[in-house]
Amino acid sequence: MKNTKEIFELALNAKFKTKECPQKKIYESIGYSLFAGGKRIRPILCMKMYEIFQNDDYDDVIDFAISLEMIHTYSLIHDDLPAMDNDDYRRGKLTNHKVFKEDIAILAGDGLLNLAYENMFEKILSSSEKNRDRYIRAAKIISDSAGIDGMIGGQVVDMLSERNDESRIELNKEILEYIHINKTSKLIEASLLSGAVIGGAIDEEIDIVREYGRIIGQLFQIRDDILDEIGDSEKLGKSVGIDKRNNKLTYISLYGLDKTIEIAEKLALDAKKCLQSLDRDISFFENMVDYLMTREK
Amino acid sequence: MKNTKEIFELALNAKFKTKECPQKKIYESIGYSLFAGGKRIRPILCMKMYEIFQNDDYDDVIDFAISLEMIHTYSLIHDDLPAMDNDDYRRGKLTNHKVFKEDIAILAGDGLLNLAYENMFEKILSSSEKNRDRYIRAAKIISDSAGIDGMIGGQVVDMLSERNDESRIELNKEILEYIHINKTSKLIEASLLSGAVIGGAIDEEIDIVREYGRIIGQLFQIRDDILDEIGDSEKLGKSVGIDKRNNKLTYISLYGLDKTIEIAEKLALDAKKCLQSLDRDISFFENMVDYLMTREK
C-alpha cells in the first residue's frame, strides 16, 4: 500500500503544479487542499483493484485515480464551508476557506471538480481504441457516483437533517443509511469499480467488486462514528465527541458502542468472504478491511 | 432562433425532472435556476453552429447544448452567493440561495456542474463509433473552457480585483480583458466550437468559428457594461448603475460610453467578416451579432 501511495503522490505532484498566472491564487488554494496529507484511500483502492485484474504498471489507471482524489478533495472543501459544516480545521490544518477566504474556497472546489473531468477527457481523448471504451465506462461510473443521486445527494440530506425549519428531514435508520451510502460509500465503490473496469474485469467480477465496495464504504463510515466516540483528537487532527454534542444520529447513538463494533465485525467478515469468489490475489483487499477496522485517523 | 429555443426548452424539460427522493430539495433548487427564464444563448449557439455544418435535426447535439446551459447556470448560482457577488435578484427573481439557503445553493451548483458531465458521458457511452470521437473532442473543449484556466479562472481574478487586502489584483486594461475572455468568452466560444466539432467541421473551419466566438464573447461583455450604464432595470430584471457605484473597471469607465459603442461596432463588423470565409449559410450568426449589439436584457 505504501508503494502504491508513493506512486500516486509522485503522479499527482507531476499532474498538478501551481503556475504563474493572474489566477495563481486558485492554484495555491487547490494545491493547499490537494496536498494536505490525505490518506489517498480512493485512488489507492482504484489502483489496487486495477492491479488484481491487470498488473502494477499503473499508467493506464493513474489519471482516473487522480480524478477520484480531486473529486473527494473538492467535496471536503465545500463540506467545510461556513454555510455547510463550518469547520475551521481539517487534518490538523486550517480549512481552505480559513486560509483563502470563502470566495476562493468555493471556486477551488468548483475548479477541482471540473479538473477531475478535464483530466478524464484528456485521457479518453489520447487513449487507444482498446482502452477507450473502458475509460468511458469508468468515467460514467465515477460521475454518477459523485452527482445528485450520489455523493452530493447524500450531503444534501445530511444538511437538511440538521435544519430546524419546515425543510428539516427527520433522521431515522433508513435516512442515516441513505446518507452514508450516498455521501461516503458510492465514491469508494466507484473507485473500486473504475479500477476493475479499466483493468478489464468482466460483468460477474464487477458485481462482486460492487458488493465489496458497498460493504467497506459502510465500514469506513462506522469507523468514523467510533473514532468520534473513542478516538484521539490529536491523531485525528480534529475534535472528537462532536456527534454526541450535536445530538447527531450515528451508529453509536443508534446501537451503542458494543453493538456497533459487533456490526462492524460482521461486515468485515462479509467483505472478505465476497471477494473470495473472485479467484484473484485479494490479500490487499483483505488487509484493507483490517485497516478500516483498526484505523486511528 | 425562436424555434431552436423551443426545441431546446422541450429537451431540457424532458431531461431534467424533479423526482420524489430524500434529496428532492436539490432537484427543486436546480430546477428553480435552470428554468428561471434564461436566454439560452450558449445552447442556441451550439445547436445553430451544428446546423450550418450538418442539419437542423438536433438529436446528435442537444445533450451537449443542455450540458452547456447547466454549466452556465451553475456558474450563476455560485456567482450570486454571499461570499461572491452577494446578489439577491437574478432575472427579476430571488437568487437561488435566497430561496433555498446557502448550503443547498452551493450543492445545487456542484450538482449542476456534475450533471453536465454525467450527461456528456452518457451521450458518449451510447454513441456510434462515428460520433464518439467528435463527442469526446467537444467534451474536452467544453471542460477546458469551464475550468481554472477558463471561466473559473476569470471569476477568481474578478473576485480578487475587488479585495482590499494584499491579495488584491489591481485592475488595468489587460486584467479587465483577461477577466472578460475567461469569465465570459471562453464558454461562449466553447458553445460554438462544440457545435462545429459535433457537426463535423474541419480544422480550418474550427479556427474561423473560434475567432468569431472570441469576438462575440467580447461583444456580449461590452453590451453588459453598456446596459449597466444606460439599460432599463425593469427589462434587465436587476439594478443598473452598479458598476459605477462600485467603481468597477468596465469598458465604460475605461473608454467612456461613445468610444465603447465605437469599439463594439468595429467588433461587430469583424465578427461578420470572419464568418464569410466559411462558405456556409451564416445568416443566423450575422443576426446574432446585431442582436448582441441591441439587446436590452
Side-chain angles (χ1 to χ4, degrees):
Chain A
M1 175 153 168
K2 189 145 183 245
N3 188 35
T4 312
K5 185 166 188 281
E6 278 162 13
I7 293 169
F8 176 76
E9 298 291 349
L10 281 173
L12 184 63
N13 267 287
K15 188 67 153 192
F16 187 83
K17 285 187 198 309
T18 296
K19 64 178 188 185
E20 285 305 323
C21 55
Q23 73 278 30
K24 185 179 178 187
K25 187 66 79 185
I26 194 169
Y27 277 87
E28 292 168 350
S29 168
I30 287 174
Y32 177 82
S33 291
L34 212 43
F35 301 107
K39 296 184 288 289
R40 313 302 195 193
I41 286 184
R42 289 156 195 79
I44 290 170
L45 287 175
C46 174
M47 292 161 74
K48 282 291 183 181
M49 193 50 86
Y50 171 86
E51 184 180 335
I52 73 167
F53 289 104
Q54 204 59 244
N55 55 54
D56 65 354
D57 169 10
Y58 300 121
D59 283 358
D60 280 352
V61 79
I62 194 87
D63 281 299
F64 279 72
I66 287 173
S67 287
L68 283 160
E69 187 69 4
M70 286 177 168
I71 292 173
H72 172 60
T73 305
Y74 116 77
S75 77
L76 299 182
I77 296 174
H78 281 190
D79 282 5
D80 287 338
L81 287 168
M84 304 260 233
D85 292 347
N86 195 20
D87 278 320
D88 291 353
Y89 289 92
R90 153 98 46 196
R91 295 166 185 155
K93 291 177 68 176
L94 283 171
T95 44
N96 197 294
H97 65 273
K98 294 303 275 184
V99 178
F100 296 92
K101 304 219 171 112
E102 254 184 275
D103 52 355
I104 297 298
I106 293 168
L107 292 164
D110 296 346
L112 264 170
L113 176 58
N114 201 79
L115 207 48
Y117 291 116
E118 288 175 61
N119 203 20
M120 287 191 242
F121 286 127
E122 194 179 321
K123 190 68 186 173
I124 294 170
L125 197 57
S126 66
S127 65
S128 67
E129 210 51 61
K130 186 201 97 198
N131 279 336
R132 190 167 266 203
D133 191 63
R134 292 179 184 177
Y135 285 141
I136 297 169
R137 282 162 57 212
K140 181 79 174 72
I141 289 167
I142 293 169
S143 67
D144 286 350
S145 79
I148 57 176
D149 291 330
M151 187 179 71
I152 294 172
Q155 176 68 2
V156 167
V157 177
D158 199 5
M159 287 293 102
L160 295 178
S161 75
E162 290 176 11
R163 286 196 176 173
N164 287 312
D165 57 20
E166 78 295 342
S167 62
R168 177 185 173 87
I169 291 182
E170 290 302 330
L171 275 180
N172 56 38
K173 211 184 133 200
E174 285 69 38
I175 290 290
L176 180 70
E177 204 155 87
Y178 180 90
I179 294 172
H180 289 166
I181 287 177
N182 284 281
K183 190 173 166 172
T184 310
S185 295
K186 281 198 179 167
L187 192 63
I188 287 178
E189 202 183 298
S191 305
L192 293 158
L193 287 173
S194 57
V197 165
I198 297 171
I202 59 170
D203 287 354
E204 289 76 11
E205 293 168 324
I206 285 170
D207 288 341
I208 295 167
V209 172
R210 184 179 293 113
E211 194 190 336
Y212 173 81
R214 187 60 56 107
I215 301 174
I216 69 163
Q218 270 179 279
L219 272 184
F220 197 85
Q221 190 60 56
I222 292 177
R223 187 70 192 166
D224 258 2
D225 286 359
I226 292 174
L227 286 173
D228 187 78
E229 178 81 8
I230 60 166
D232 179 332
S233 72
E234 209 158 300
K235 282 185 186 152
L236 284 165
K238 65 179 180 186
S239 315
V240 295
I242 297 173
D243 295 343
K244 201 181 257 176
R245 272 206 302 286
N246 293 346
N247 276 319
K248 218 170 164 166
L249 190 70
T250 66
Y251 275 89
I252 311 285
S253 71
L254 209 55
Y255 302 105
L257 182 59
D258 290 349
K259 174 80 178 157
T260 298
I261 291 173
E262 208 176 286
I263 294 172
E265 281 167 353
K266 167 80 170 60
L267 286 170
L269 280 180
D270 290 347
K272 290 181 181 179
K273 203 171 142 196
C274 96
L275 277 190
Q276 275 155 15
S277 44
L278 266 188
D279 199 23
R280 305 260 168 182
D281 176 6
I282 57 166
S283 53
F284 171 83
F285 293 98
E286 290 179 327
N287 294 339
M288 174 55 74
V289 171
D290 296 333
Y291 163 74
L292 290 177
M293 290 292 286
T294 56
R295 72 187 170 91
E296 296 191 316
K297 61 175 188 172
Chain B
M1 175 155 167
K2 186 137 186 254
N3 189 36
T4 311
K5 185 165 188 279
E6 278 161 14
I7 293 170
F8 176 77
E9 299 291 348
L10 280 174
L12 185 62
N13 267 287
K15 189 68 155 191
F16 185 84
K17 284 188 198 307
T18 296
K19 64 177 188 184
E20 285 305 323
C21 54
Q23 74 277 30
K24 185 178 178 189
K25 187 66 80 186
I26 195 170
Y27 276 86
E28 292 168 350
S29 169
I30 287 175
Y32 177 82
S33 290
L34 212 44
F35 300 107
K39 296 185 287 292
R40 314 301 196 194
I41 287 183
R42 290 156 194 80
I44 290 170
L45 287 174
C46 174
M47 292 161 75
K48 282 291 185 181
M49 194 50 88
Y50 171 86
E51 183 180 335
I52 74 167
F53 289 106
Q54 203 61 244
N55 55 55
D56 65 354
D57 168 10
Y58 300 121
D59 283 357
D60 280 352
V61 80
I62 194 87
D63 281 300
F64 279 71
I66 287 174
S67 287
L68 284 160
E69 187 68 6
M70 286 177 168
I71 292 173
H72 172 59
T73 305
Y74 115 77
S75 78
L76 300 182
I77 296 174
H78 280 190
D79 283 5
D80 287 338
L81 286 168
M84 305 261 231
D85 293 346
N86 194 19
D87 279 319
D88 291 353
Y89 289 92
R90 153 94 51 194
R91 296 166 185 154
K93 290 177 68 177
L94 284 170
T95 45
N96 197 294
H97 64 272
K98 293 303 273 185
V99 178
F100 295 93
K101 305 222 170 106
E102 256 184 274
D103 52 355
I104 297 297
I106 293 168
L107 292 165
D110 297 346
L112 265 170
L113 176 58
N114 200 80
L115 207 48
Y117 292 116
E118 287 176 61
N119 203 20
M120 286 191 244
F121 286 127
E122 193 179 322
K123 190 70 186 171
I124 294 170
L125 196 57
S126 65
S127 65
S128 67
E129 210 50 64
K130 186 202 97 196
N131 279 336
R132 188 169 267 203
D133 192 62
R134 292 179 184 177
Y135 286 141
I136 297 168
R137 281 161 59 213
K140 180 80 174 72
I141 289 167
I142 293 170
S143 67
D144 285 351
S145 79
I148 58 177
D149 290 331
M151 188 179 72
I152 294 172
Q155 175 69 2
V156 166
V157 177
D158 198 6
M159 287 292 103
L160 295 177
S161 75
E162 290 177 10
R163 284 196 179 174
N164 287 313
D165 57 21
E166 78 294 341
S167 62
R168 178 186 172 87
I169 292 181
E170 289 302 330
L171 275 180
N172 56 36
K173 210 183 134 201
E174 284 70 38
I175 290 290
L176 180 70
E177 203 154 86
Y178 179 90
I179 294 173
H180 290 166
I181 287 176
N182 284 280
K183 190 173 165 170
T184 310
S185 295
K186 281 196 178 168
L187 191 63
I188 288 177
E189 204 183 297
S191 305
L192 293 158
L193 286 173
S194 56
V197 166
I198 297 171
I202 60 170
D203 287 354
E204 290 75 11
E205 293 168 324
I206 285 169
D207 289 340
I208 294 167
V209 172
R210 184 180 291 111
E211 195 190 336
Y212 173 80
R214 186 61 55 107
I215 302 173
I216 68 162
Q218 269 179 280
L219 273 185
F220 198 86
Q221 189 62 55
I222 292 177
R223 188 71 194 166
D224 257 2
D225 287 358
I226 292 174
L227 286 175
D228 187 78
E229 178 81 9
I230 60 165
D232 178 332
S233 72
E234 210 158 300
K235 280 184 189 154
L236 285 165
K238 64 178 181 186
S239 315
V240 295
I242 296 173
D243 296 344
K244 200 180 257 176
R245 271 205 304 284
N246 293 345
N247 276 318
K248 218 171 164 164
L249 190 69
T250 66
Y251 276 89
I252 311 284
S253 71
L254 208 57
Y255 302 105
L257 182 60
D258 291 350
K259 176 79 179 155
T260 298
I261 292 173
E262 209 176 285
I263 293 173
E265 281 166 352
K266 168 82 170 61
L267 286 170
L269 281 179
D270 290 347
K272 290 180 181 179
K273 205 171 141 195
C274 95
L275 277 191
Q276 275 154 16
S277 42
L278 267 188
D279 198 25
R280 304 261 169 181
D281 176 6
I282 57 166
S283 53
F284 171 84
F285 293 98
E286 291 179 328
N287 294 340
M288 175 55 74
V289 171
D290 296 332
Y291 163 73
L292 289 177
M293 291 292 285
T294 55
R295 71 186 170 95
E296 296 191 316
K297 61 174 191 172

